[in-house]
Amino acid sequence: MICYTKDGRIIDYDCNNNLIVESTQGEIFKVGSSVCLKRYIGNNMGKGIFDDSGNVFNQEMFDYFKFKFNNSNFCQLYDLLYDDKFISVLGYTMKYYEEMIDNVLNMPTSYILDNFSLIYDAIMKLTDDCVRVVDLHSQNIINTKNGMIVIDYDKYFFDDSSSKEVLSYINKSALIYAFSGIFKKSLRNLGINVDSDLELKNKISSLFTPETNPLMLKSKLRGYSKSIDYLISHC
């Protein structure tokens, strides 16, 4: 894959036999020991990340995440990749993170509490900067030994029309949805059909509500060495 960076460098990435993930939006390849490449395919080719309109790439949003936001719980971005005319965005490169934890519920409760608190603070920072969080769910969070990493910013955008109160609710709701999804996915990995267990679903819902903040979550999980212990208690 021959592409060009913003500063005019020509790069030929080998995208053969190193596919990591494929979706309707794009393909992710590992192109180095610590670098991966997201290449747009089909109707998404040329749209570019952070371009909610699908026509014009929002360079401002990319630069915000690369240079200003700079949060260790969010995937580190490297380069936008253009065609030879610098009209279409073909994809982008980012740091490669290896998922090392299959089930966060069996990790010490501090793993959930610490990462929820850090990502919650990051979401509040995004809200202060008028960034709307879109498409944040369990599949877009990688669980590494050193912490959780949020990936895929393709649909985030600056929202200047919503009030801070509304934007805060939207962004916090996205975070709550992601973490409740992580719990449900972990239960499925344990062979538990959470969809058919009303009590488990209610416990997860009570943990992650639109009002949940780090202090509230800590108070609910206090006394449990692992998050799974909270879920199966009194079940």
Side-chain angles (χ1 to χ4, degrees):
M1 175 182 171
I2 298 177
C3 48
Y4 297 78
T5 62
K6 183 181 178 181
D7 57 6
R9 288 179 291 125
I10 303 175
I11 304 176
D12 187 1
Y13 284 110
D14 180 10
C15 294
N16 296 316
N17 304 317
N18 54 3
L19 179 66
I20 302 173
V21 178
E22 184 176 16
S23 69
T24 56
Q25 185 185 17
E27 303 166 321
I28 297 180
F29 301 87
K30 189 175 182 183
V31 293
S33 60
S34 60
V35 181
C36 57
L37 158 70
K38 182 167 185 177
R39 180 176 70 181
Y40 291 102
I41 59 176
N43 293 331
N44 290 292
M45 179 67 74
K47 289 183 179 179
I49 58 174
F50 317 127
D51 176 19
D52 203 48
S53 69
N55 296 311
V56 180
F57 177 78
N58 189 336
Q59 182 71 56
E60 182 183 13
M61 181 60 76
F62 183 87
D63 289 344
Y64 168 84
F65 273 102
K66 183 176 180 179
F67 300 111
K68 182 179 179 181
F69 186 61
N70 193 26
N71 185 281
S72 60
N73 286 94
F74 278 64
C75 177
Q76 182 178 352
L77 302 176
Y78 292 141
D79 290 304
L80 286 176
L81 305 175
Y82 295 87
D83 64 2
D84 58 352
K85 295 181 175 59
F86 289 89
I87 296 176
S88 295
V89 175
L90 306 180
Y92 62 98
T93 53
M94 55 191 161
K95 185 175 179 178
Y96 172 75
Y97 301 87
E98 185 172 1
E99 187 145 28
M100 301 294 293
I101 300 171
D102 292 331
N103 201 306
V104 298
L105 297 181
N106 283 325
M107 292 290 290
T109 305
S110 59
Y111 184 85
I112 288 290
L113 294 176
D114 292 347
N115 283 283
F116 181 83
S117 179
L118 290 168
I119 297 175
Y120 181 94
D121 289 344
I123 293 295
M124 293 300 96
K125 168 62 177 172
L126 291 174
T127 301
D128 288 341
D129 290 344
C130 299
V131 175
R132 179 178 288 205
V133 175
V134 183
D135 200 34
L136 178 58
H137 50 76
S138 60
Q139 299 299 322
N140 283 342
I141 295 182
I142 298 175
N143 303 310
T144 75
K145 287 184 176 179
N146 296 322
M148 294 180 173
I149 306 297
V150 179
I151 61 172
D152 268 359
Y153 311 142
D154 300 47
K155 296 181 181 179
Y156 289 28
F157 63 96
F158 285 116
D159 183 357
D160 298 319
S161 61
S162 298
S163 68
K164 283 295 177 66
E165 182 179 5
V166 169
L167 188 58
S168 177
Y169 179 83
I170 291 172
N171 287 351
K172 284 195 290 186
S173 295
L175 174 64
I176 294 305
Y177 175 76
F179 268 78
S180 62
I182 289 172
F183 271 49
K184 292 174 182 178
K185 182 174 73 171
S186 296
L187 286 171
R188 294 188 187 101
N189 289 342
L190 292 173
I192 300 173
N193 186 357
V194 64
D195 295 320
S196 62
D197 192 320
L198 182 59
E199 189 167 0
L200 273 178
K201 290 177 68 174
N202 287 339
K203 278 202 166 189
I204 294 173
S205 296
S206 69
L207 270 182
F208 300 108
T209 72
E211 291 76 30
T212 297
N213 59 42
L215 286 177
M216 292 172 62
L217 187 61
K218 184 177 181 179
S219 68
K220 291 180 180 180
L221 293 180
R222 183 179 291 115
Y224 297 97
S225 60
K226 299 178 181 179
S227 299
I228 188 66
D229 297 333
Y230 169 84
L231 294 179
I232 65 176
S233 64
H234 309 302
C235 283

